[in-house]
Amino acid sequence: MKINLIISASVLALIFMVPAAFSQSNQKRNRGESFYKLQNSNTSGPGNIWVTLTAVGFVWDDVPDKKDPSVLSSQKWFSNLYGFPEIKAQVGFGDFGTAYVESRVLSYRFKFGNIAAGVKLTTPNNEDLRLNGFGLDFKFNYQFFETNPTLGGYYGFMPEGFVVKGLTADVKFLYELDLLPRISKVPLRAIANAGLRMPFRSDRADCFQYLLDAGAVYSRYGFDFFAIYTLEAFNNLFKPLILTQENGAKRFAVFFPENPMYLTLGGNIRYDNGLVISLSVPVLLSRNKYSSMGYGNEEYQIEREKYNVTDPFDPWFTKWKMAGSISFPLRYKKTSAEMMRTYLILKNRKKDNRMDIDNRLQEPGTEGKSQKKEPLEF
């Protein structure tokens, strides 16, 4: 785990290795950018290539008891702190598509985590800013393992959510309400991604998940703030999903409040050369319904009798995470939509500054007096 953290920190340190020769003329913006995992409805632009390097860290589980002889004999490194590096590259094609690949290149026990490839499509009118934007995202993901560590020893229930070893497919509908082109003084966007995750393994056919990411993004010239709600839900809205593992030796129930769900708060800092530094903090919202991991719980006995389960389930996912990333263009051609976004944001910023000047000049008792001690903002 210590090596994982070092590698993750090194990914963030690459910010200082990004070439400084990028043009400083106008701010470069990725028309098809994401905010943490929330995707907007636009695409990157013809031939534009963007790379994102991410480091994810969190605390999960209790530190093993070092006084326990069995622990001492089996483990030499004790830590409940995890950190992983990730990478994503995307390239725009035409004015309607973006293709991308992404991977967690180093995961638990220093193993290769996953690799995914996908395509995002939108209507070709995203050359201009649009009030309503629509898109579709298709992604195929190959997960290399689904155990160690897991939640209570159940296959697939990892600290950050549920995974299936092997191939899965995500299909999402993307919607974006961008107020900037209609009300230029309100640089606010509401974005929603909704879809389905489908495992290709026959023994995981019942473990498909409904996906939802919904959030708001406030953007100014040099920074963004965003808040996102994320839900990965089994088919358990009206009744619990009953899962059986280890050839029937384990049978447990997962209720809707126990699905992986997070509230993410975060922000970006933008530079004119296209470099974006981002920090996101997802906080767990999942709640236990009946059982706990302890067998003496009275509510677990009620659950056991009502749903004929043999084992308890607890949404013991990581309580919080921190994800830091840097994004930069390898190839960039300006898109008219983002040029207009930059223009409108700058125009409103200059209007605010001019209003500030007018207010100062109109303050009573200041006529004819020197303003040297109060420098004006431009």
Side-chain angles (χ1 to χ4, degrees), residues 5 32 40 46 72 88 129 155-156 163 189 192 197 203 218 236 256 280 306 315 324 348 366 378:
L5 291 173
N40 71 8
L72 288 174
K88 179 178 181 178
L129 291 182
Y155 295 118
V163 300
R189 283 183 273 184
R197 175 170 297 155
D203 62 330
Y218 177 79
N236 59 359
F256 188 83
S280 305
K306 186 175 182 179
N348 290 315
T366 61
F378 292 95

Side-chain angles (χ1 to χ4, degrees), residues 228-231 256-264 282-288 315 317-320:
I228 305 166
Y229 171 78
T230 300
L231 170 67
F256 188 83
E258 298 172 334
N259 288 309
M261 62 183 82
Y262 283 87
L263 174 64
T264 300
V283 179
L284 184 69
L285 300 179
S286 305
R287 292 292 182 268
N288 182 268
F317 306 113
T318 179
K319 296 294 189 294
W320 57 268

Side-chain angles (χ1 to χ4, degrees), residues 153-171:
Y154 303 143
Y155 295 118
F157 288 90
M158 303 290 281
E160 298 170 82
F162 181 76
V163 300
V164 174
K165 183 179 179 180
L167 189 64
T168 58
D170 292 4
V171 180

Side-chain angles (χ1 to χ4, degrees), residues 5 21 76 105 118 120 122 160-161 170 183 202 213 231 249 309 315:
L5 291 173
K76 295 182 179 180
V105 294
K120 179 166 69 167
T122 189
E160 298 170 82
D170 292 4
I183 311 172
S202 59
D213 297 279
L231 170 67
V309 296

Side-chain angles (χ1 to χ4, degrees), residues 106-127:
L106 192 63
S107 190
Y108 302 96
R109 299 184 68 183
F110 315 111
K111 294 180 179 179
F112 192 81
N114 74 301
I115 187 167
V119 61
K120 179 166 69 167
L121 303 174
T122 189
T123 53
N125 64 339
N126 69 335
E127 293 181 0

